[in-house]
Amino acid sequence: MAAVTTLRSSCRTAGRLVCVHHIRSCSSIRFIKSKYACVFDKSAFNFSHQQRLFRTSAVSHGQIVQFKLSDIGEGITEVTVKEWYIKEGDSVSQFDSICEVQSDKASVTITSRYDGIIRKLHYNLDEIAYVGKPLVDIEIDASKGVAPEEDVVETPAMSHEEHTHQEIKGHKTLATPAVRRLAMENNIKLSEVIGTGKDNRILKEDILSFLAKQTGAILPPSPKAEIIAPLSKSETVPTAPKDKARKIPIPISRPVVFSGKDKTEPITGFHKAMVKTMSAALKIPHFGYCDEIDLTHLVQLREELKPLAQSRGVKLSFMPFFIKAASLGLLQYPILNASLDEGCQNVTYKASHNIGVAMDTEQGLIVPNVKNVQVSSIFEIASELNRLQALGSASQLGTNDLTGGTFTLSNIGTIGGTYAKAVILPPEVAIGALGKIQVLPRFNGKGEVFKAQIMNVSWSADHRIIDGATMARFSNLWKSYLENPALMLLDLK
């Protein structure tokens, strides 16, 4: 009897070991066959079953990944969260927009690297987010793993007319930072490249294919505008009467709320950039030079060209003429289109004339620039200005639009000013402030009084490398081009 009991116990133990080994070797357990139930020890079954259920549940729930704010370049370390395009619980796919952030240099849109579900937003609106820190938590399918790709950072649309591939608040151009860098190095606008990747994403191959189609030197593509034949006399756009009363700016009155309490707010965004830039500008010894310009002939020329420009979809202001005349002057006096290193040991003469235009926006002063004016026509400059003004009004200017300036013009006349002492924007060495155009009496060569369209200009220059005579000669040349617009035809390229 003792031998039988021992044998039965040994068989029960062996059966338990075989069954447990079999269960552990399975990928999942759905049920247990009844023929094994008689040889299972209850405690052994409970342990094995619980262990397997824990492992299965860990796979059924996705993996939480912290999506970190990637480096968006230009030495930016922190940004302000301006808008969330998603909320907790939303599903996102790769390249879907997550949020819009604003640095002290530009606004950019951050897009997702993963397919998954948003589980946590780490910042509220108007809070400061830091590069390298988690932005959102995304639950992804653990079986797919984490994509090694770089985070995609998007810049806004290049032109309203090019909304087929880009829109300010709609479809965005998709490209990784590496592709964007390749395009920027070759002066290519992404809006002109057709993407062959997912959701029209632009790939490196698309950039290389675009380059292969170009011949000769690679120059910045001109803004594309449909060329329409001049209108007939019966269809000509009526021009404003010459005796039209001049519009007087009316101050905008807003309801004032008096709380009686002090309020402290952090300096963020473009205001923060202004603090840094103006602090650096105080180190520059400024000197000023002022003059007045007779724009009578230019006013007449612009009135003649406005209908033609309007038929091409471009608003023609005086600023394109001011910018082009400045570029022609910089060709003769390149020291004004230069920069001085911090040690004041070397001067770098800039080949490109990237002329900035100061703009007053709801978010403060911004200075986007028109790239490569030296190879652009007045019409192309006007088209680019229209684009920059539209993006500036929508707070959608990209980093490329706001950086790389070499010379600046500030049109204070649009607000009503006549004179200003402009502050140089480092690392530039000169800036001009343009006053309003006024109808004033002047004398001609015969001593007769006539009505003249007069504008005042105030120049500021870095006196470390620019002397007064050079500034005066440049101003006189710029003045001659504007007072006699036909002279520009000789030097236009």
Side-chain angles (χ1 to χ4, degrees):
M1 181 62 70
V4 172
T5 302
T6 301
L7 179 60
R8 184 177 298 167
S9 176
S10 299
C11 291
R12 185 181 297 112
T13 302
R16 184 188 303 119
L17 293 174
V18 170
C19 291
V20 170
H21 176 73
H22 173 72
I23 294 171
R24 287 179 176 174
S25 65
C26 295
S27 59
S28 61
I29 300 176
R30 301 299 179 192
F31 61 88
I32 302 173
K33 293 184 179 180
S34 58
K35 67 179 182 179
Y36 292 122
C38 62
V39 295
F40 260 66
D41 182 273
K42 186 176 181 180
S43 62
F45 169 73
N46 287 341
F47 172 77
S48 177
H49 185 62
Q50 290 172 359
Q51 185 183 44
R52 174 50 59 188
L53 288 180
F54 172 76
R55 291 178 180 175
T56 304
S57 63
V59 175
S60 63
H61 295 293
Q63 178 182 357
I64 301 295
V65 174
Q66 287 191 329
F67 178 72
K68 297 181 179 180
L69 178 62
S70 59
D71 183 6
I72 56 181
E74 299 293 333
I76 296 171
T77 59
E78 61 183 44
V79 296
T80 303
V81 179
K82 303 303 293 183
E83 183 176 0
W84 286 107
Y85 298 123
I86 45 86
K87 60 182 181 298
E88 294 181 0
D90 285 355
S91 296
V92 295
S93 301
Q94 290 187 48
F95 312 118
D96 282 354
S97 297
I98 291 181
C99 65
E100 180 181 336
V101 298
Q102 184 183 80
S103 69
D104 57 359
K105 296 182 179 178
S107 295
V108 296
T109 300
I110 306 298
T111 60
S112 176
R113 187 202 299 178
Y114 313 112
D115 298 331
I117 301 173
I118 302 297
R119 291 304 181 193
K120 181 180 179 181
L121 306 181
H122 284 269
Y123 301 98
N124 295 320
L125 291 179
D126 295 324
E127 286 189 345
I128 303 297
Y130 297 92
V131 171
K133 299 295 183 181
L135 193 62
V136 296
D137 289 351
I138 303 179
E139 181 180 327
I140 65 172
D141 188 347
S143 62
K144 295 182 180 179
V146 178
E149 243 180 283
E150 293 181 282
D151 300 338
V152 176
V153 181
E154 294 188 2
T155 52
M158 301 302 293
S159 170
H160 178 70
E161 296 175 354
E162 297 162 343
H163 61 81
T164 308
H165 306 294
Q166 302 187 25
E167 287 183 4
I168 292 176
K169 284 291 184 182
H171 301 292
K172 306 293 180 82
T173 295
L174 304 178
T176 61
V179 172
R180 292 181 182 278
R181 190 178 305 111
L182 179 63
M184 184 171 61
E185 289 173 352
N186 290 280
N187 293 321
I188 294 176
K189 292 182 179 179
L190 291 179
S191 58
E192 297 186 351
V193 181
I194 299 177
T196 59
K198 179 183 176 182
D199 298 327
N200 296 325
R201 180 186 179 193
I202 298 177
L203 307 177
K204 180 180 179 181
E205 292 74 16
D206 300 328
I207 299 294
L208 297 177
S209 176
F210 185 85
L211 281 173
K213 295 178 182 179
Q214 296 189 3
T215 58
I218 301 176
L219 296 175
S222 303
K224 289 191 176 0
E226 184 180 1
I227 305 299
I228 303 176
L231 300 176
S232 61
K233 292 184 179 180
S234 59
E235 300 174 337
T236 303
V237 180
T239 58
K242 295 184 179 180
D243 296 333
K244 180 180 175 182
R246 187 174 186 84
K247 292 183 179 180
I248 300 176
I250 301 175
I252 300 176
S253 59
R254 299 176 181 175
V256 178
V257 179
F258 183 72
S259 62
K261 297 180 180 179
D262 296 342
K263 183 173 67 172
T264 301
E265 294 181 348
I267 299 177
T268 59
F270 295 131
H271 288 100
K272 195 167 187 177
M274 187 185 298
V275 171
K276 295 179 180 178
T277 304
M278 294 300 102
S279 297
L282 288 177
K283 302 177 182 178
I284 300 175
H286 288 57
F287 85 91
Y289 179 85
C290 301
D291 200 356
E292 71 171 30
I293 320 295
D294 183 355
L295 298 181
T296 304
H297 294 304
L298 181 61
V299 170
Q300 295 173 355
L301 176 62
R302 173 177 171 265
E303 286 299 321
E304 295 174 2
L305 297 178
K306 274 176 62 177
L308 178 59
Q310 187 176 355
S311 69
R312 298 183 181 184
V314 173
K315 180 181 178 182
L316 182 64
S317 64
F318 289 106
M319 185 58 74
F321 296 95
F322 300 154
I323 291 175
K324 188 60 183 181
S327 177
L328 294 175
L330 293 176
L331 292 174
Q332 301 297 323
Y333 301 96
I335 188 63
L336 297 175
N337 196 60
S339 64
L340 185 65
D341 64 5
E342 293 183 1
C344 299
Q345 300 296 319
N346 300 288
V347 176
T348 301
Y349 295 86
K350 304 292 186 179
S352 298
H353 296 173
N354 300 337
I355 298 182
V357 180
M359 293 183 182
D360 178 38
T361 68
E362 294 181 356
Q363 296 179 325
L365 176 67
I366 57 176
V367 189
N369 58 83
V370 180
K371 298 288 194 297
N372 293 287
V373 176
Q374 78 279 3
V375 292
S376 301
S377 68
I378 291 177
F379 177 76
E380 290 170 342
I381 296 170
S383 179
E384 178 68 0
L385 273 178
N386 288 179
R387 182 185 74 85
L388 294 174
Q389 289 166 348
L391 294 180
S393 300
S395 301
Q396 290 290 323
L397 286 167
T399 304
N400 187 52
D401 295 323
L402 294 168
T403 56
T406 60
F407 186 87
T408 299
L409 293 176
S410 177
N411 190 3
I412 61 170
T414 56
I415 301 175
T418 305
Y419 300 95
K421 186 177 180 181
V423 179
I424 300 170
L425 301 176
E428 299 174 19
V429 294
I431 184 173
L434 312 175
K436 62 183 178 181
I437 301 176
Q438 307 176 82
V439 179
L440 298 174
R442 290 293 182 269
F443 291 95
N444 60 20
K446 298 179 181 180
E448 301 170 340
V449 178
F450 70 98
K451 291 194 304 183
Q453 302 278 351
I454 301 298
M455 181 188 74
N456 296 100
V457 60
S458 307
W459 301 104
S460 295
D462 187 339
H463 215 342
R464 294 174 296 182
I465 60 173
I466 300 174
D467 54 65
T470 301
M471 188 75 253
R473 292 188 181 100
F474 167 83
S475 181
N476 289 337
L477 179 58
W478 180 76
K479 175 180 178 178
S480 67
Y481 284 132
L482 298 178
E483 291 189 338
N484 303 282
L487 294 180
M488 286 195 285
L489 295 175
L490 297 176
D491 297 320
L492 288 178
K493 296 181 179 181

